[in-house]
Amino acid sequence: MVDLVAAEDTRRAGKLMQHLGLDRRLVSLHEHNEQEQVARLVSELGQGRSIALISDAGTPLISDPGLRLVATAQATGIDVVSIPGPSAVTAALSISGLATDRFAFEGFLPRKRQRRRDRLETLRTEPRTLVFFESVHRISATFEDLVAVFGAERRAALARELTKLHEQLMAGSIGDIAAALGTEVPLLGEFVIVVAGADSEPMAGDEEILRVYRLLAEALPPSRAAALCAKITGRPRSEIYALTRK
């Protein structure tokens, strides 16, 4: 049993502890006070006390506070132990119906629309399944951006209020999910978006390869033209050489 409990929301954590019949001192630890609280908490650890860092939903540090505390504790030689619990990332992936062998967790996208679209543009050709967190205030705008950048037909899943009373999952195309927001999917709670990775770009055909090569060869030596053609088309340089000699 620990000596004290650090939580982002002590009111919700207090209700949880009361429900479980636990009576321990609660300490607030959130993004606005973490820097000042770390020294105090690490001092308590140094005096032999034990601290539990908890989250009332999900896993601590996964888009939640606690990184400074964990990093500082480790740096001072204090053992940090993980007790597995629910994670919105893996929970959403496991029921999304999308590939789970390789995925990238992107956390929350930028708040500003242009920055959000710019970020999505860098991920447009990412082959791994993508996982995002999003708030109720931006979920509709984010899906508008997903449609604009990834296309309405890309497969996706939207999980709402995972592991809670009103848990909901909708799987389908990005466009279908965007259209369901506010109707089939209430604009309430916390959201996890799972998006299928991009399909591999089809390799250019022989005619296209020759066209690119000839354009490059007008201004470059054959070896340089072949090398650039390979980068542009995704075909091995040896194949390009073979095509140009037919």
Side-chain angles (χ1 to χ4, degrees), residues 161-238:
E161 292 291 271
L162 279 172
T163 74
K164 300 178 186 177
L165 181 62
H166 300 292
E167 178 177 318
Q168 181 183 12
L169 176 81
M170 181 174 185
S173 70
I174 291 176
D176 288 342
I177 297 172
L181 290 172
T183 53
E184 295 176 63
V185 180
L187 298 181
L188 297 167
E190 298 176 318
F191 296 86
V192 182
I193 305 167
V194 187
V195 180
D199 293 332
S200 298
E201 294 290 334
M203 289 198 299
D206 292 354
E207 290 185 7
E208 178 66 9
I209 288 173
L210 284 172
R211 187 185 72 82
V212 172
Y213 173 80
R214 286 165 183 158
L215 287 171
L216 293 169
E218 290 177 4
L220 298 169
S223 61
R224 181 62 177 155
L228 284 177
C229 186
K231 286 186 176 181
I232 292 169
T233 64
R235 295 282 285 271
R237 192 186 307 188
S238 60

Side-chain angles (χ1 to χ4, degrees), residues 206 210 214 239-246:
D206 292 354
L210 284 172
R214 286 165 183 158
E239 290 187 16
I240 294 168
Y241 278 129
L243 285 172
T244 61
R245 283 160 173 74
K246 282 185 178 181

